[in-house]
Amino acid sequence: MAVEDISFVVVYLNNAKFLEKAASDIESMRVRGAGNIARHAVSAMRMVAKYSRAKDGKALMIELEAAAKRILSTRPTAVSLANGIRYVMYRVKIASMGSMDLEVLRSAAVAAADEFIEESIKAVDRIGEIGSRRIRNGDVLLTHCHSAAAVEVMRRAWMDGRRFSVYVTETRPRFQGRETAIILSSLGIPVTLIVDSAARYFMNDVDRVVVGADAVAANGAVVNKIGTSTIATLAHEARTQFMVASETYKFSPETVMGELVTVEERDASEVVSKNFLRKYSKIRVRNPAFDITPPEYVDLIVTERGVIPPQGAIMVIHELFGSIQQDELLKYQTYRITEDQQ
Ligand code: RI2
């Protein structure tokens, strides 16, 4: 359900509960995909600002900071969340330098949220346009997990008349690959669904790997769904092109300062049943949701600003975040790290 669908009355009376619902939808992955969760989070910030009953501008800023903190605790790897929130908070802060009036700050937050959402949707569209040109007639592609940006690249190429087929890994443990397979197949694209461990078996047939990203580090390393780096290694070995579709709001400014992207580790019950865990309690199950593909295994990153080699990531980050103070950047990094990791 879209954030805006929640009725005005419920939101007005219960802003805190509404925020909690948005955060838990992201946490539980009812809302998923790096771009999608950023938009959901920013919509939540917008609603908090719009229906806040704060008495003055200062109180509104405190309320927004608390909302940001809660949202950032949901999915620690998603840099898109931090950047979406930063987009809103930075503009509120700039507005507050001119005036601390409640309505001025409220409007600044709402306008910034609207702008982020609009721009992020346009970015996926533009990535589709740019990335699709890299796909040739007769290509065999391979994709992993479900990425709206990667799907848009393939959708656009198909709509432009290019004919190709796609291997889709099912993507354990949550099987997001099935969602990708269903979408591509519904467009008429020939799709073969394979288990993750069959990637090497088929890699020699593949011309291009196309995946999305949850985060891109300053050195061009790509953080994406667990299993991506294995596929990248296989592509490298087979001299198959490895292409990443990523909006620039997934680029991590903190990594310029040497911070590492936190890898989210999810519950063991996503991997095996609760019964299994009870019965074989001595078996430890680990479930990291993401892995890191080193830049040497990435051929190109398609962004809404154009195609860059992984080494170009640092330039993008400087262009986008150069004007933001380091302590401002690190504040949101801290929010993303859970207490036991600090
Ligand atoms: P878009 C997903 O994470 C996948 O790792 C996917 O590649 C990435 O987000 C980017 O998705 P999850 O939410 O923004 O399934 O391109 O853990 O949709």
Side-chain angles (χ1 to χ4, degrees):
M1 177 168 61
V3 170
E4 291 284 11
D5 292 345
I6 314 270
S7 81
F8 169 82
V9 179
V10 173
V11 171
Y12 185 77
L13 292 177
N14 226 332
N15 224 351
K17 266 199 186 152
F18 161 75
L19 173 73
E20 193 44 43
K21 161 103 176 76
S24 77
D25 280 348
I26 296 173
E27 223 155 33
S28 64
M29 292 179 71
R30 269 190 296 277
V31 175
R32 55 148 298 278
N36 226 6
I37 60 178
R39 281 186 289 277
H40 201 71
V42 167
S43 296
M45 296 289 286
R46 180 186 189 280
M47 299 297 262
V48 167
K50 191 166 175 190
Y51 300 115
S52 167
R53 284 186 280 180
K55 298 270 183 291
D56 53 31
K58 190 168 177 227
L60 176 66
M61 283 181 83
I62 292 171
E63 206 176 315
L64 285 171
E65 282 292 344
K69 194 167 185 175
R70 171 67 187 105
I71 287 170
L72 287 170
S73 68
T74 55
R75 305 236 24 220
T77 305
V79 166
S80 56
L81 273 184
N83 282 341
I85 283 167
R86 195 173 275 136
Y87 192 96
V88 174
M89 295 305 285
Y90 184 64
R91 281 155 183 79
V92 173
K93 198 177 164 194
I94 298 288
S96 75
M97 289 170 180
S99 161
M100 275 305 282
D101 178 75
L102 173 65
E103 293 314 318
V104 168
L105 300 189
R106 195 198 301 278
S107 312
V110 170
D114 286 341
E115 192 176 75
F116 178 85
I117 293 165
E118 197 187 323
E119 290 302 316
S120 73
I121 292 168
K122 276 195 208 151
V124 176
D125 191 57
R126 182 89 181 111
I127 286 172
E129 190 187 334
I130 298 170
S132 63
R133 295 186 205 129
R134 302 281 165 152
I135 295 176
R136 310 230 161 90
N137 251 328
D139 267 0
V140 176
L141 308 179
L142 185 142
T143 190
H144 184 57
C145 197
H146 174 247
S147 151
V151 165
E152 187 54 21
V153 166
M154 295 182 271
R155 190 192 72 82
R156 190 68 182 253
W158 187 261
M159 292 305 171
D160 287 348
R162 247 77 44 80
R163 289 299 169 253
F164 54 89
S165 61
V166 188
Y167 284 109
V168 181
T169 52
E170 54 180 6
T171 319
R172 283 273 295 153
R174 295 185 69 106
F175 301 105
Q176 292 99 318
R178 290 179 187 170
E179 201 175 328
T180 303
I182 292 167
I183 297 171
L184 295 179
S185 174
S186 73
L187 294 169
I189 301 174
V191 168
T192 307
L193 188 66
I194 60 173
V195 296
D196 301 352
S197 44
R200 189 168 198 236
Y201 186 86
F202 293 108
M203 189 53 81
N204 280 331
D205 303 342
V206 175
D207 299 293
R208 244 170 284 283
V209 174
V210 187
V211 293
D214 290 85
V216 176
N219 68 349
V222 172
V223 184
N224 194 46
K225 184 55 55 191
I226 192 80
T228 304
S229 69
T230 311
I231 293 170
T233 310
L234 301 174
H236 189 72
E237 180 196 50
R239 303 173 69 81
T240 298
Q241 188 183 70
F242 190 87
M243 167 168 150
V244 177
S246 175
E247 302 90 309
T248 54
Y249 58 79
K250 294 173 184 167
F251 284 49
S252 166
E254 299 97 326
T255 55
V256 176
M257 293 170 266
E259 296 292 324
L260 299 177
V261 174
T262 310
V263 173
E264 173 186 2
E265 190 142 346
R266 296 185 62 85
D267 202 76
S269 61
E270 289 188 344
V271 179
V272 288
S273 68
K274 290 213 162 105
N275 257 347
F276 182 100
L277 288 168
R278 267 191 298 272
K279 193 167 170 193
Y280 304 106
S281 56
K282 284 190 182 149
I283 298 178
R284 186 177 182 211
V285 178
R286 292 198 56 185
N287 183 21
F290 303 101
D291 62 21
I292 294 134
T293 300
E296 308 85 77
Y297 291 179
V298 176
D299 290 301
L300 53 134
I301 304 175
V302 183
T303 78
E304 74 278 16
R305 294 172 165 231
V307 175
I308 57 162
Q311 296 74 17
I314 182 90
M315 310 267 283
V316 171
I317 293 173
H318 276 308
E319 252 176 60
L320 288 176
F321 302 100
S323 58
I324 304 184
Q325 299 287 323
Q326 289 204 356
D327 55 342
E328 276 288 308
L329 291 173
L330 288 172
K331 181 166 73 184
Y332 295 114
Q333 164 82 6
T334 314
Y335 287 174
R336 284 214 310 279
I337 299 172
T338 53
E339 271 161 29
D340 56 321
Q341 289 168 316
Q342 285 179 31

